[in-house]
């Protein structure tokens, strides 16, 4: 489990020496050695590698990675090209289409967003194959809460998109008045019709960024 080497490194360095992280590290090391775990070990910190702290302009918070083969690659809601687009991401695409005229692509890879400054952060960064939520309460949440606090403290405007009860539970951590916090139900088929559809978070985010002199996100995926 390699450490992050870009400008996240000094922010996260103190976490690595804390007791919870040592236990987490040992647990994850054993899991990868004895079970099928997703994402691949080299992809665990993809969200940080692709989106340095200095470039974060939008944060989207998920819960834990997809747990079927070939799906997870370190970015919440995203799957590798060639993999069937999961239902929640299909609904994200539908809202994008209705909100900004987004052309729905034939893949679910969101790397283009991450490279523009959209931090696609799962609260839990690993999972056992075929076992959703199997790595919850092992320490990842404490680590990613430290990430959320670090973004909250940056001295520039950032948009937080909180979808569903779990993500919305992070709202009390977001105390910086420079930021915009958008909340909606989860895009899952079980809840999208309760207010995710029509939330217009993508256009609202870009309007806020533009008004604050920040280049908006090109949500288009080719």
């Amino acid at each position: 489990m390699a450490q992050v080497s870009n400008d996240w490194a000094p922010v996260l360095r103190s976490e690595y020496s804390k007791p919870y992280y040592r236990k987490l590290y040992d647990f994850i090391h054993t899991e990868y050695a004895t079970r099928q775990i997703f994402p691949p070990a080299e992809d665990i910190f993809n969200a940080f590698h692709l989106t340095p702290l200095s470039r974060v302009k939008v944060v989207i918070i998920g819960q834990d990675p997809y747990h079927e083969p070939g799906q997870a690659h370190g970015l919440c809601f995203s799957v590798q090209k060639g993999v069937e687009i999961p239902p929640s991401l299909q609904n994200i695409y539908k809202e994008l289409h209705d909100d900004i005229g987004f052309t729905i692509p034939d893949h679910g890879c969101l790397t283009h967003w991450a490279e523009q400054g959209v931090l696609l952060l799962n609260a839990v960064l690993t999972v056992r194959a075929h076992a959703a939520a199997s790595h919850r309460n092992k320490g990842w949440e404490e680590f990613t809460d430290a990430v959320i606090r670090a973004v909250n403290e940056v001295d520039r405007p950032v948009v937080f998109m909180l979808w569903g009860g779990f993500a919305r539970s992070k709202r009390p951590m977001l105390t910086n008045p420079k930021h915009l916090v958008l909340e909606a139900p989860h895009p899952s088929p079980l809840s999208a019709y309760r207010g995710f559809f029509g939330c217009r978070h993508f256009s609202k985010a870009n309007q806020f960024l533009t008004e604050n002199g920040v280049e908006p996100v090109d949500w288009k995926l080719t």
Side-chain angles (χ1 to χ4, degrees):
M1 192 163 68
Q3 295 180 2
V4 180
S5 59
N6 59 16
D7 65 0
W8 282 106
V11 175
L12 299 175
R13 186 174 294 123
S14 63
E15 298 302 309
Y16 301 139
S17 61
K18 292 180 179 179
Y20 87 86
Y21 194 87
R22 295 172 185 168
K23 291 180 181 178
L24 172 64
Y25 183 93
D26 290 342
F27 170 76
I28 295 300
H29 181 78
T30 300
E31 287 285 283
Y32 273 93
T34 59
R35 298 175 180 268
Q36 187 178 24
I37 304 299
F38 300 127
E42 63 271 18
D43 290 342
I44 292 174
F45 294 121
N46 260 358
F48 307 100
H49 297 316
L50 291 169
T51 313
L53 178 59
S54 59
R55 296 191 59 197
V56 173
K57 60 179 74 171
V58 175
V59 180
I60 299 176
I61 300 174
Q63 284 192 257
D64 53 2
Y66 297 120
H67 56 270
E68 296 301 325
Q71 293 182 306
H73 64 119
L75 306 176
C76 73
F77 294 105
S78 181
V79 293
Q80 296 277 26
K81 289 184 178 180
V83 176
E84 184 177 358
I85 301 172
S88 290
L89 184 54
Q90 291 180 27
N91 286 340
I92 291 170
Y93 285 175
K94 183 180 187 301
E95 175 57 22
L96 271 160
H97 174 270
D98 295 346
D99 185 9
I100 63 172
F102 174 85
T103 299
I104 296 176
D106 61 359
H107 67 85
C109 183
L110 307 181
T111 298
H112 179 59
W113 295 0
E115 291 173 340
Q116 293 181 78
V118 181
L119 182 64
L120 296 165
L121 180 68
N122 273 318
V124 176
L125 299 185
T126 55
V127 68
R128 288 179 187 168
H130 321 300
S134 50
H135 283 184
R136 290 186 194 172
N137 302 316
K138 302 297 184 182
W140 278 130
E141 294 90 341
E142 188 167 346
F143 181 80
T144 53
D145 278 356
V147 171
I148 294 168
R149 286 193 295 269
V151 180
N152 178 64
E153 292 170 5
V154 300
D155 189 28
R156 66 178 190 277
V158 174
V159 180
F160 289 84
M161 296 183 181
L162 308 182
W163 300 336
F166 178 82
R168 296 170 87 169
S169 73
K170 306 298 182 181
R171 181 64 180 86
M173 302 171 62
L174 306 178
T175 58
N176 190 331
K178 287 182 177 287
H179 303 328
L180 174 66
V181 180
L182 301 172
E183 300 184 49
H186 196 276
S188 161
L190 298 175
S191 56
Y193 286 94
R194 298 175 190 162
F196 178 78
F197 290 141
C199 69
R200 303 190 68 234
H201 280 187
F202 303 98
S203 60
K204 289 176 181 178
N206 276 355
Q207 180 180 351
F208 174 80
L209 294 171
T210 300
E211 289 173 351
N212 284 277
V214 180
E215 184 178 358
V217 177
D218 175 15
W219 298 107
K220 179 177 61 181
L221 298 169
T222 56

